[in-house]
Amino acid sequence: MRRVFSFRMFLLVLLTGGAFVAQAQTVTLGPDAIGENQAWTITVTVQNDRLKNYDNFPEIPGFRKRGTSTQSSTNIINGQISSSSSVIMTYAPTKQGVVTIPSFTMKVNDKPVQVAGKKVKVGPPVQQQQTRDPFRSFFEGDEGGGEAEFVDVKEDAFLALTTSKDAVYVGEGFNTTISFFVAEDNRAPLQFYELGRQLSEILKKIKPTNCWEENFNIENIEAESVTINGKGYSQYKIYQATLYPLNAEPVVFPAFDLEMIKYKVAKNPSFFGQNRKEDFKSFRTKPKRVAVKELPPHPLRDVVAVGDYRLDERSRNTNLETGASGVYEFNVYGEGNISAIEKPLVKKDANFEFYEPNVRQDINRQKNRVTGNKSFSYFMIPKEPGKYNMKDYFTWVFFNPAKQRYDSLRPKLVFTVTGESKKNEAIQANDLGSFYDKIDAADNSLHTIADDRWQKWVFNAFIVVTLGAAAFIIFRK
């Protein structure tokens, strides 16, 4: 072991004194032909940089994923130092034949790498020769060349489903997160395994049917430093959404498992050769329950939005003329289920004519919150001159769970209408005219328009003549 330490120290000195060449990312496909009992690989390599992140390896029909391994190397040539870090996905063929590898793109350290596809021929099983690490006896004192011994290191990590609240009102949102936590002093090597497939199956199992979901759509899994009970952890969020209960039934999340790759480490590690062995471990969450309360009694309890909202009203011109059109925008913004916001109640009278609004909404999902706005744009025509406060025409009620009470958004805009009254024009537009005024004086007795009995006699005579002629022809023959 003393010789190993000295060699590593020698490399460290060289590394700190040398200069690196340019960085690059490559994705390398395995050979064109393998035996049915041989493995095929895709290798992601980063030159002169740390392998920080990469996309999921592709699913290939005819191959089955067997897991990943990593390796790194350092070269010193004429004083120039170069290094490489690689992650290797191993595939096992499911049968003999030709497997088509389609072209694909992988992001490596946030840079896209184009990979051209090819065909791989899977032939009969081949006899594999066992090779022996020639350096093992030098660095480990292995006289017999036996198998390395691997041990299972106890991990300090756990899987958890957490919610931002334990009890909510109907329609009130709560944040739901599935995260994998790894302690900062954890020594067991861990890695995600087929996360996309597993997460899809998990969500089918746990997604509540009585909730509206606003998904944060996590694309890149990055570590966030958190402190739990005074201990530092790295949190890896794999799913995050805000859920809004649609009824008063409790929201229940059952327990579920996530399978991770966990490496066993060599009992006597060497500088050359394999120092860890891939294995699997399942992590299980605890079930979670969120209580849901009914909203307090109110005439609009079944239709009001729940959240914290504000009003932003707009109009290009508050000075209008009777008969001329105008536009009034009623914009609701804030935090809550923006999709569930209904249009305001509008009072109808002879002073204004309001048409159905145009609706537009924007939703933002960030920093564990769902915020946004919903705009209702009303086309209106004033009928009578005067001053009109929009708070007399528009009413929008919501429930604020933080204050635990109902509240209303009240408009402040005032429209000034000038011009002549248009009420009489509306009455004239509804006048049906003098023709309909004579209906009451008209005679409503029934009269025959014409005598059409002669047409029936002519038609009957024609039928008799036709039948007689047909009979004469038949009997004559």
Side-chain angles (χ1 to χ4, degrees):
M1 295 302 293
R2 186 175 305 165
R3 285 173 290 179
V4 176
F5 178 79
S6 301
F7 189 74
R8 290 178 177 176
M9 289 298 294
F10 172 69
L11 275 181
L12 181 62
V13 172
L14 289 175
L15 287 172
T16 55
F20 282 98
V21 295
Q23 302 174 357
Q25 298 83 24
T26 59
V27 178
T28 307
L29 303 183
D32 296 338
I34 59 173
E36 189 178 7
N37 61 336
Q38 291 181 311
W40 189 82
T41 59
I42 297 179
T43 305
V44 174
T45 304
V46 174
Q47 300 286 345
N48 307 312
D49 194 8
R50 183 169 61 90
L51 184 57
K52 304 168 187 174
N53 56 71
Y54 54 90
D55 284 346
N56 292 331
F57 285 88
E59 299 287 343
I60 303 175
F63 281 150
R64 182 178 65 252
K65 288 182 179 180
R66 295 297 302 271
T68 59
S69 59
T70 58
Q71 65 182 29
S72 60
S73 64
T74 302
N75 297 317
I76 307 173
I77 302 176
N78 296 329
Q80 294 290 326
I81 302 173
S82 64
S83 67
S84 67
S85 299
S86 302
V87 58
I88 305 166
M89 172 60 76
T90 301
Y91 294 84
T94 58
K95 60 181 179 179
Q96 297 182 28
V98 177
V99 177
T100 300
I101 312 298
S103 301
F104 61 94
T105 301
M106 283 190 71
K107 271 191 176 182
V108 182
N109 284 0
D110 297 325
K111 295 182 179 180
V113 180
Q114 300 285 343
V115 184
K118 68 176 185 177
K119 295 184 181 295
V120 179
K121 182 179 179 181
V122 180
V126 297
Q127 184 177 0
Q128 300 182 13
Q129 297 179 351
Q130 294 186 355
T131 58
R132 181 172 175 267
D133 185 359
F135 298 97
R136 183 178 295 278
S137 59
F138 177 77
F139 287 107
E140 293 188 13
D142 181 9
E143 299 294 338
E147 291 286 339
E149 183 180 356
F150 295 92
V151 295
D152 186 12
V153 179
K154 177 64 177 176
E155 75 283 347
D156 191 352
F158 63 93
L159 177 70
L161 183 148
T162 57
T163 59
S164 58
K165 302 172 185 176
D166 294 328
V168 294
Y169 286 98
V170 174
E172 179 185 359
F174 62 93
N175 201 273
T176 304
T177 308
I178 300 176
S179 303
F180 191 75
F181 295 86
V182 181
E184 292 179 352
D185 56 358
N186 173 67
R187 298 183 60 189
L190 296 165
Q191 184 175 312
F192 289 110
Y193 171 68
E194 295 187 358
L195 184 58
R197 176 188 60 80
Q198 290 196 77
L199 183 59
S200 177
E201 295 175 356
I202 289 171
L203 295 182
K204 289 179 182 178
K205 179 180 179 181
I206 70 167
K207 269 190 180 180
T209 58
N210 63 326
C211 290
W212 176 272
E213 178 196 47
E214 289 292 347
N215 197 322
F216 283 68
N217 295 319
I218 297 175
E219 296 181 355
N220 297 319
I221 300 177
E222 301 177 353
E224 299 179 17
S225 298
V226 297
T227 301
I228 303 175
N229 296 329
K231 187 173 182 178
Y233 285 85
S234 293
Q235 180 184 11
Y236 298 88
K237 294 181 180 179
I238 61 176
Y239 169 79
Q240 184 176 10
T242 297
L243 302 180
Y244 300 90
L246 303 176
N247 53 43
E249 295 179 4
V251 181
V252 179
F253 301 96
F256 58 89
D257 295 309
L258 179 68
E259 191 174 32
M260 299 281 293
I261 297 176
K262 179 184 177 183
Y263 293 94
K264 293 182 179 180
V265 298
K267 186 175 182 180
N268 297 310
S270 64
F271 188 76
F272 297 94
Q274 185 178 6
N275 285 328
R276 62 182 188 177
K277 181 180 180 182
E278 185 180 279
D279 199 0
F280 295 91
K281 181 178 177 62
S282 291
F283 293 83
R284 188 171 182 82
T285 64
K286 295 180 180 179
K288 180 70 177 179
R289 184 179 186 274
V290 177
V292 182
K293 301 175 288 185
E294 287 278 12
L295 294 178
H298 191 277
L300 301 176
R301 180 173 69 176
D302 296 332
V303 296
V304 297
V306 178
D308 187 9
Y309 298 105
R310 300 290 185 272
L311 174 62
D312 177 25
E313 52 178 340
R314 300 176 185 178
S315 181
R316 293 181 179 178
N317 187 11
T318 57
N319 296 314
L320 303 176
E321 290 187 6
T322 54
S325 62
V327 176
Y328 174 67
E329 292 186 9
F330 191 97
N331 302 318
V332 179
Y333 70 95
E335 181 177 1
N337 188 0
I338 306 299
S339 300
I341 293 177
E342 296 287 345
K343 63 183 179 181
L345 299 177
V346 181
K347 176 186 174 182
K348 295 182 179 180
D349 62 13
N351 298 325
F352 273 96
E353 184 176 357
F354 293 97
Y355 293 84
E356 281 298 307
N358 296 322
V359 182
R360 187 189 73 250
Q361 72 176 24
D362 297 300
I363 301 177
N364 302 313
R365 308 170 191 88
Q366 58 183 358
K367 297 181 180 179
N368 302 330
R369 301 173 61 206
V370 176
T371 59
N373 67 83
K374 199 162 189 175
S375 173
F376 303 92
S377 181
Y378 286 88
F379 181 80
M380 60 184 185
I381 299 178
K383 300 293 185 180
E384 283 291 301
K387 286 194 173 183
Y388 300 96
N389 198 321
M390 289 297 101
K391 71 178 181 180
D392 298 328
Y393 287 89
F394 290 85
T395 303
W396 196 81
V397 180
F398 68 100
F399 181 79
N400 190 323
K403 300 178 180 179
Q404 298 188 12
R405 63 178 176 83
Y406 291 93
D407 206 344
S408 298
L409 299 183
R410 303 184 182 279
K412 295 181 179 179
L413 281 183
V414 177
F415 283 84
T416 301
V417 180
T418 58
E420 298 181 356
S421 173
K422 300 297 181 179
K423 285 185 178 180
N424 294 333
E425 291 185 4
I427 295 174
Q428 291 176 1
N430 294 327
D431 187 5
L432 298 178
S434 60
F435 175 81
Y436 291 94
D437 294 337
K438 299 178 181 179
I439 290 179
D440 294 334
D443 183 12
N444 62 349
S445 59
L446 299 177
H447 298 277
T448 302
I449 297 176
D451 187 2
D452 59 354
R453 286 178 293 179
W454 65 272
Q455 296 177 356
K456 295 180 181 179
W457 287 104
V458 172
F459 182 72
N460 292 336
F462 174 76
I463 293 175
V464 171
V465 172
T466 303
L467 292 176
F472 174 76
I473 294 172
I474 292 173
F475 284 112
R476 185 177 182 182
K477 289 183 178 181

